[in-house]
């Protein structure tokens, strides 16, 4: 390994893009060459400073959802295609490797941390599916008083009559934040078999959980976000300073009527 090769590929070395044999060769050269060692240290410090100073790009929820849909379509297509692995020269990377890396890195960093679904949607569906028993049941006033001191906000139930009635409640969480979970019995025939279903209502601090997702609709001056997933429908909205997530296997029109009944006159 010569100094001119280290100078030419110093960024490749710092970014850990060398294969193991070439990397060991560079490291051996650095042990006996102070100028090259100093070059690597200075260039590494510059890269660290740039990463710290560079602004983090932000993306809207709509953009995140579009990217997720494209990735899901690509994943489904890739499942039926053989995987081809590009072969690069053994000693040094292609001259296009670094430009492609710098173009792809911001998108990778953004997508690698994306949630599969916003917490308020995913968590409410999971907890609705589990059919956990109520920790308190009975008269609605007894149920609401039971939450005093157990969650950091005053719990207010939604009035869903005559479509549903409050059965009970328990402590839950949405997005790793404490939430009150109210369990309602639906009086509709959402299953088409004459049986009533369950409606789950989660109450939480809307300033600590992402609320903007799905399709936006105004219902009695309330901004409601609707999203369907895994055969369920979820509605997110704010009311009197609290966040609400309603989950169930209701059809979306029935869910909208339920919310309209809950927020009318408020």
């Amino acid at each position: 390994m010569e100094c001119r090769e280290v100078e030419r590929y110093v960024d490749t070395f710092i970014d850990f893009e060398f294969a193991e044999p070439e990397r060991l060769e560079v490291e051996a050269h650095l042990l006996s060459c102070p100028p090259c060692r100093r070059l690597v240290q200075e260039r590494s410090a510059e890269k660290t400073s740039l990463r710290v100073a560079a602004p983090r790009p932000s993306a809207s929820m709509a953009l995140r959802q579009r990217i997720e849909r494209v990735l899901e379509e690509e994943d489904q297509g890739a499942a039926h295609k053989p995987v081809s692995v590009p072969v690069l020269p053994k000693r040094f990377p292609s001259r296009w490797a670094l430009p492609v890396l710098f173009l792809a890195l911001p998108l990778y960093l953004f997508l690698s941390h994306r949630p599969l679904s916003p917490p308020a949607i995913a968590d409410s569906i999971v907890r609705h599916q589990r059919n956990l028993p109520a920790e308190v049941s009975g008269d609605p006033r007894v149920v609401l008083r039971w939450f005093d001191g157990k969650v950091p906000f005053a719990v207010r139930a939604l009035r869903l009559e005559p479509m549903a009635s409050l059965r009970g409640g328990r402590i839950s969480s949405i997005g790793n934040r404490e939430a009150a979970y109210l369990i309602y019995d639906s009086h509709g025939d959402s299953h088409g078999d004459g049986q009533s279903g369950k409606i789950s209502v989660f109450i939480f601090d809307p300033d600590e959980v992402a609320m903007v997702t799905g399709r936006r609709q105004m219902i009695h001056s309330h901004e409601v976000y609707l999203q369907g997933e895994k055969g369920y429908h979820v509605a997110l909205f704010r009311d009197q300073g609290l966040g609400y997530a309603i989950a169930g296997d209701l059809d979306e029109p029935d869910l909208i009527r339920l919310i309209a009944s809950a927020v009318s006159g408020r």
Side-chain angles (χ1 to χ4, degrees), residues 3 6-7 10 13-14 26-45:
C3 293
V6 174
E7 293 173 0
V10 60
F13 173 75
I14 293 172
V26 175
E27 291 175 348
H29 176 83
L30 294 178
L31 289 175
S32 59
C33 183
C36 286
R37 189 163 60 246
R38 186 164 49 252
L39 172 65
V40 170
Q41 292 171 345
E42 292 174 352
R43 189 64 59 85
S44 180

Side-chain angles (χ1 to χ4, degrees), residues 86-163:
V87 179
L88 296 177
K90 179 180 179 182
R91 186 173 182 84
F92 296 114
S94 162
R95 64 191 179 93
W96 296 107
L98 288 179
V100 170
L101 172 66
F102 285 113
L103 287 173
L105 184 58
L107 181 60
Y108 168 77
L109 292 175
F110 163 65
L111 293 177
S112 63
H113 294 88
R114 78 189 196 282
L116 294 178
S117 188
I121 298 293
D123 290 354
S124 59
I125 289 176
V126 168
R127 285 149 181 70
H128 174 80
Q129 289 175 315
R130 286 178 179 170
N131 285 322
L132 295 173
E135 296 178 279
V136 61
S137 59
D139 184 274
R141 291 171 295 183
V142 173
V143 172
L144 297 181
R145 282 199 300 268
W146 180 84
F147 286 100
D148 291 347
K150 295 182 175 67
V151 291
F153 48 81
V155 176
R156 289 190 297 273
L158 296 177
R159 296 185 61 84
L160 304 184
E161 295 82 358
M163 298 181 66

